[in-house]
Amino acid sequence: MQLVECRMLVVLAQELNMRKAAERLFVSQPALSQRLQTIERAWDTQIFIRSQKGLSLTPAGEKIVQFAKEVVEKEDQVKEDLHHLDTEVYGTLKLAVASIIGQHWLPAVLKKYMDKYPHAKISLVTGWSSEMLRYIYEDEVHIGIIRGNPEWKGVKEHLFTDPLYLVDTEIEDASEVPNNDRPFIQFKSDSTYYQEILDWWHREFHTTPKRTIVVDQIETCKQMALNGLGFAILPSIAVKDAQHLHRIPLLKENKEPITRDTWLVGYESAFKLKQVRAFMEIVKEYIKEQQEKKLS
C-alpha cells in the first residue's frame, strides 16, 4: 500500500464521511470512492461499511487503518529527523510543565523561542508536577519543567528558586494568624508542596487552620486572596504583580526562607534534537536577563 493510500485511509477513518474526506484530500468524491475500492480489492476485504449516515469501520478495517496510521506516523518521524539535518530549527518541541510555571513563567520564554525559531512547533501539557514527571518517565515529551526537587537520573537543570509567602489584604504579620477568623485559602497541589506548608504551619502555630477553603487551581487561590476572601500561601512567582497583597515570608527554624525550586528534566537523547537544544539556549538567555534585571 502506497503512502498516499495510507494517508487517504487515515483521513477517511477520521471523518467517516466520503464528502468531507474528499474535501480534505483535494480529490473528487467519485475518485476517492474508486481508490478505496481498489485498496479493498488489494486487501481482499471490506474496510468501511457505507450507509446513508456515512462510513463505519469493519473489524478488519480497524486493523488496516491502524497499520496505515503507523506508516504515516513513521513517515512524519523520518521527515522530522531529516529536518534536523538542516541549519534551521524545525520539528515539534514537546513540553510537560507544572501549571504555575505554565501560567507565570513559560509564556515569555515560548514567545522568545517562537520569535527566533518560527518554523518550530510546540506541544504543551500542564498539570501537577507529579503528573508531568510521569510524561517524562514514559518518554511522551522531550522536556519536563517540574516544581520541587524530583529524583531524576537524566539531564537535570536547576532553573530558579522562589520563596513562599503568606499573602493577605489584611494580615501583615504571621503573629496575627492564630487570633484571626479569616479562612485559609488552599489550592490542591502535590504532596511535597502541601507537606512543606503543613510543617511550617504546625511549627509556627501548633494547631490547624480554623477555617479552610480548598480550590482546584493556584490562580483561583490568588484571585480569592486578592479579593479579600482570606489568606493564602503562595510562591513569589504567582504574586510578583499582586501589589495589594501583604507578603509575609515563610521561614525555616534557622530563619532562612522556605523556597520552592524549579527544575528542567529530560532524557539525554532528547537534548540531541535541534529544537530541544534551541529551547535550552532561550531558557538560559531568559534566566540571565531576569537576573540582570534584579541586579539593576
Side-chain angles (χ1 to χ4, degrees):
M1 191 161 58
Q2 299 177 8
L3 279 169
V4 65
E5 294 173 333
C6 289
R7 289 192 176 277
M8 187 191 80
L9 288 180
V10 170
V11 171
L12 279 167
Q14 289 171 344
E15 297 294 344
L16 293 177
N17 181 285
M18 193 68 73
R19 178 183 58 80
K20 291 180 180 179
E23 289 174 354
R24 277 184 58 184
L25 293 166
F26 300 102
V27 298
S28 68
Q29 197 168 323
L32 179 60
S33 179
Q34 185 176 2
R35 193 67 176 269
L36 176 58
Q37 290 174 19
T38 301
I39 296 171
E40 289 179 325
R41 282 197 299 270
W43 283 96
D44 194 26
T45 188
Q46 189 174 10
I47 299 174
F48 292 93
I49 297 174
R50 292 100 166 142
S51 70
Q52 292 182 342
K53 294 183 179 180
L55 303 175
S56 58
L57 279 165
T58 64
E62 290 179 2
K63 292 186 177 295
I64 295 170
V65 168
Q66 181 58 41
F67 168 76
K69 285 181 180 178
E70 292 171 1
V71 172
V72 170
E73 289 171 359
K74 186 63 177 179
E75 182 198 27
D76 290 341
Q77 181 62 54
V78 171
K79 285 182 177 178
E80 185 172 324
D81 291 342
L82 292 175
H83 280 315
H84 297 155
L85 300 176
D86 298 334
T87 56
E88 186 58 77
V89 174
Y90 288 87
T92 300
L93 175 67
K94 300 175 184 178
L95 302 171
V97 181
S99 293
I100 188 171
I101 302 301
Q103 291 170 344
H104 298 282
W105 183 85
L106 186 66
V109 176
L110 288 184
K111 177 66 165 60
K112 288 174 130 341
Y113 180 78
M114 295 304 296
D115 286 346
K116 190 169 183 179
Y117 305 110
H119 299 294
K121 297 178 182 179
I122 301 292
S123 173
L124 173 66
V125 59
T126 62
W128 290 358
S129 289
S130 55
E131 295 174 342
M132 299 304 98
L133 201 56
R134 179 178 58 80
Y135 281 94
I136 293 293
Y137 277 124
E138 297 178 2
D139 205 17
E140 295 182 15
V141 297
H142 298 134
I143 289 175
I145 300 181
I146 310 296
R147 298 283 277 178
N149 190 8
E151 293 186 9
W152 184 255
K153 295 182 180 179
V155 176
K156 183 178 178 182
E157 296 271 350
H158 183 261
L159 298 183
F160 58 87
T161 299
D162 55 323
L164 301 184
Y165 292 105
L166 187 150
V167 298
D168 191 23
T169 55
E170 296 183 12
I171 297 173
E172 298 184 35
D173 191 274
S175 61
E176 300 173 29
V177 173
N179 300 319
N180 198 301
D181 289 331
R182 293 173 67 71
F184 172 35
I185 305 169
Q186 173 195 334
F187 64 91
K188 294 179 181 178
S189 62
D190 59 44
S191 58
T192 58
Y193 183 86
Y194 183 61
Q195 190 59 48
E196 284 181 297
I197 292 175
L198 278 182
D199 291 345
W200 174 84
W201 188 280
H202 288 297
R203 188 169 61 249
E204 287 289 318
F205 307 122
H206 308 289
T207 184
T208 56
K210 293 179 181 179
R211 298 166 59 200
T212 301
I213 298 174
V214 180
V215 297
D216 62 339
Q217 295 181 8
I218 195 169
E219 188 61 25
T220 306
C221 180
K222 172 185 170 182
Q223 291 301 322
M224 293 183 75
L226 277 169
N227 283 277
L229 299 178
F231 63 91
I233 293 177
L234 298 172
S236 61
I237 190 175
V239 295
K240 59 183 179 180
D241 299 322
Q243 300 177 357
H244 302 297
L245 288 175
H246 300 297
R247 295 172 176 80
I248 304 164
L250 271 62
L251 302 177
K252 301 177 184 177
E253 290 183 279
N254 60 5
K255 302 305 179 183
E256 291 184 0
I258 296 175
T259 59
R260 190 76 166 157
D261 290 313
T262 299
W263 295 84
L264 183 148
V265 299
Y267 289 113
E268 290 185 10
S269 57
F271 290 83
K272 295 178 182 178
L273 297 172
K274 192 168 291 184
Q275 69 267 35
V276 176
R277 295 199 305 270
F279 179 73
M280 283 299 299
E281 291 174 5
I282 294 295
V283 166
K284 291 176 180 178
E285 288 174 9
Y286 181 75
I287 290 175
K288 184 179 179 181
E289 290 173 4
Q290 295 303 302
Q291 290 172 341
E292 290 172 350
K293 282 183 180 180
K294 287 182 180 179
L295 295 174
S296 62

